[in-house]
Amino acid sequence: MNCTEVFNYIFESFNSNNIDYAIIHSYQYLPDRFDSDIDTAINVPNIKDAIKLLDDTLVGTGWRVIQFWRHENYAADCIISNDDEFLQVDFCTHYERNGRVVIPVQELLDGKRMYKNFYIPKPQTEFTYVLVKKILKKVFSDGSKQRLTALWKAMNEKERQETKAGLKRFIAEDQINEILECVDSLQYDLIDLERAHQLLKKKTSNVADNLHYKG
């Protein structure tokens, strides 16, 4: 199996076994082109279960997990290989940043939809995830700018209102419209990232109170 074939095998196996997952961003050219890691939200009890699930799924394919590392309590990066080619499949059981659970996995997967032969989040969720992630990193890549603007422009009015309402728990209400205007016009340099970053850190400081890390 080459990279495209093993990608199809993994995610079609997940579909057949009713695994609750979604590839949360940078999926547009999959599985024909792999421009980045395959970032996947997955609803399993423990991040170790996601790694084992991937390894078990690969049995008999000639591919295997050759390396993995946990970079957050609820996230792990997995390198898979057939000794000739490599892919990186990254799992998260919640979106976490610096020890804070920012977006629970149930929210990442709610309303997911089929795209090609794998699941992706609904547009509101993908938009919120990418925007919040970039604010926490305090930088917008060119790819994230293009994607956020494309998602926003493609939303209908109902989806836009839902997105705005959901952003209120992350961003000051008076800044939401300013940010969205910048997104709409591709003027990301006008966003006050430092203000948004500081408030976002405060607003997410207690999100994990009802979640319990399992080693």
Side-chain angles (χ1 to χ4, degrees), residues 64-106:
R64 67 194 188 281
V65 176
I66 62 168
Q67 184 180 10
F68 68 87
W69 60 96
R70 295 173 65 164
H71 55 86
E72 295 275 11
N73 293 333
Y74 299 99
D77 298 346
C78 302
I79 304 294
I80 65 172
S81 176
N82 63 357
D83 295 329
D84 294 317
E85 298 178 278
F86 300 85
L87 281 179
Q88 183 168 329
V89 183
D90 298 346
F91 288 116
C92 70
T93 54
H94 300 292
Y95 170 48
E96 180 184 12
R97 181 74 177 171
N98 297 329
R100 294 183 173 96
V101 172
V102 181
I103 306 177
V105 69
Q106 294 85 356

